[in-house]
Amino acid sequence: MDGTGLGLVLHEKALGKVFQVWCLHIPVYDRTPFDELAEYVEETVRMRHASSPNKPIYLVGDSFGGCLALAVAARNPKIDLVLILANPATSFGRMPLQPLLPLLKSLPDEFHVTVPYLLSFIMGDPMKMAMVNIDSMLPPRQIIQHLSDNLTAFLAHLSGVADIIPKATLLWKLKLLRSASSYSNSRLHAVNAEVLVLASGKDNVLPSANEAQRLASSLRNCKVRYFKDNGHAILLEDGINLLSIIKGTSKYRHSKRHDYVMDFLPPSMSEFKKAVQDFRWYLNFTCSVMLSTMENGKIIRGLAGVPCEGPVLLVGYHMLMGLEVIPLVEQYLRQKKILLRGIAHPTLFTQLIESETNESSIFDMLRLYGATPVTASNFFKLLATKSHVLLYPGGAREALHRKGEEYKVIWPDQPEFIRMAARFGATIVPFGVVGEDDIAQLVLDYDDLKKIPILSDQIRRDNELVARMGVTVRTGMTGEVANQTLYLPGLLPKVPGRFYYLFGKPIHTKGRQDLLKDREKAKELYLHIKSEVQNSMNYLLKKREEDPYRSVIDRTTYRAFSATFDDVPTFDY
């Protein structure tokens, strides 16, 4: 980290639940040159590798530590390393403050006490640092009080930094940075490690955003996450969870290759609270009504009709752009205390879906919450581990439907999932969901976009890139469901209505050997499930007309005097 371990303080507890955490400590008066520091870390890495040769070793390098991690990786190309580099100092030679560095040498000793205060405002945002561990859901008055207390403590801490890092040490560290940057840059070609670069957009010390892109193009296997509102000391700022970033970028693994099922780490309570906070506006606007069906056929509000004992396979309709997924996963986890593992299009796990700025996105959130690429192997593993699995047979074709196809079940002819479910005795729960037409209007679908030359060419290029990546699903199929062209439709937002979900009566496959042996029986059950999904949507489309709180305006008025979003009534069922 920074030699004192300060950058690890906010992350050690979470990381310690997953990793065995070691931290390099460089004493204040230590004058070990860079190459010897690299050798020191190298000895530890080789020792850990010798004791567990089949496990990856993670090196987290913050600023100067980023250079150190790259140097160790370059010197040990045969050891399986994962590097997490936070604003690495490989760009030290292009540092904006470079002309001011000579002034530090001539600064009188009695003025050195002011340096920590100046550096604190350059290194990061004091407000973001002071917001650490303050619950944003507290009343404003309490937040202001906690913020004031933290800022006071922060300034008091700075007064002692001058004693901890005297002028001679600061000058030595600057000299060390120069040699570290030069050494690591000269050996980038030798780095075989998997690399994740965390780059801050408001880094006043180093040009970290540009440096991240340079490293991404220079290293063999490098991914970038860009944090536009953070400063240089990103690991000390509020809202940054290092373990969440590692999980969300699929960097956590036990062996040579990441396994989306066996390497998955469930989200923690703090991660769940942050996700709810980040999507609160969406969850509030949609104010989802969850209905389920008991074994006796009675419809109730809530998810009590969905079995808790896995494996459970939820099979349903994919609304436009998958608008229903976030409220569904959130409510399932909240009500049943079970994480729903979604099987998703493999393109969501490629570089194609990452924006040009490589910012942390909804796709990182989906991976954090267990989204898994759709493959027979992953489906097998999920059911074998008794998971609760979310499956959309209509896939991208249903989620990217055309105008006039709202609430039309578009599934393949083959009963793809029935035999696999029967093999593990999974309980299948068909479900329907409606509400997309109360959120947005589809104004440009695929048929419209392909008539616009520029957009049509872009869609073609993107899908050709997907094909070159080897990302294909349902190869060899014919018909509408085989047409899974990926594109972004044109949507017109509407005054929000409400989402309605109906989970049908559970269908048990345990002991159904006939489904494994008789393809006709499997197809018969498949068509029954398909009709149940369609019937559920027909029921919801009719009943929602009776909901007095379908409009967000009516719900907001009701809540102002009566209840929370979870308590807003709906139609009689």
Side-chain angles (χ1 to χ4, degrees), residues 200-272:
S200 295
K202 294 183 178 179
D203 190 339
N204 296 320
V205 179
L206 299 169
S208 292
N210 291 335
E211 180 65 4
Q213 297 306 316
R214 185 184 77 88
L215 290 174
S217 61
S218 301
L219 297 168
R220 292 184 180 87
N221 184 9
C222 180
K223 183 181 287 189
V224 172
R225 281 298 176 270
Y226 178 65
F227 301 86
K228 61 181 180 180
D229 296 321
N230 291 87
H232 184 71
I234 184 173
L235 297 180
L236 289 174
E237 295 186 353
D238 182 52
I240 300 298
N241 184 318
L242 187 55
L243 182 58
S244 296
I245 294 170
I246 292 172
K247 294 195 292 184
T249 52
S250 301
K251 292 298 177 186
Y252 180 72
R253 54 187 172 86
H254 291 91
S255 55
K256 288 286 184 182
R257 296 175 63 87
H258 175 78
D259 187 307
Y260 285 96
V261 177
M262 308 313 294
D263 288 331
F264 176 68
L265 296 171
S268 64
M269 181 55 70
S270 62
E271 287 171 333
F272 176 66

Side-chain angles (χ1 to χ4, degrees), residues 244-309:
S244 296
I245 294 170
I246 292 172
K247 294 195 292 184
T249 52
S250 301
K251 292 298 177 186
Y252 180 72
R253 54 187 172 86
H254 291 91
S255 55
K256 288 286 184 182
R257 296 175 63 87
H258 175 78
D259 187 307
Y260 285 96
V261 177
M262 308 313 294
D263 288 331
F264 176 68
L265 296 171
S268 64
M269 181 55 70
S270 62
E271 287 171 333
F272 176 66
K273 288 180 178 178
K274 184 178 187 305
V276 171
Q277 179 181 327
D278 290 345
F279 291 99
R280 178 168 294 278
W281 63 272
Y282 185 63
L283 297 172
N284 288 347
F285 277 161
T286 56
C287 191
S288 299
V289 175
M290 299 279 173
L291 305 175
S292 61
T293 309
M294 304 299 288
E295 292 284 357
N296 61 6
K298 182 181 179 181
I299 296 176
I300 63 168
R301 188 160 185 183
L303 298 174
V306 180
C308 292
E309 184 180 352

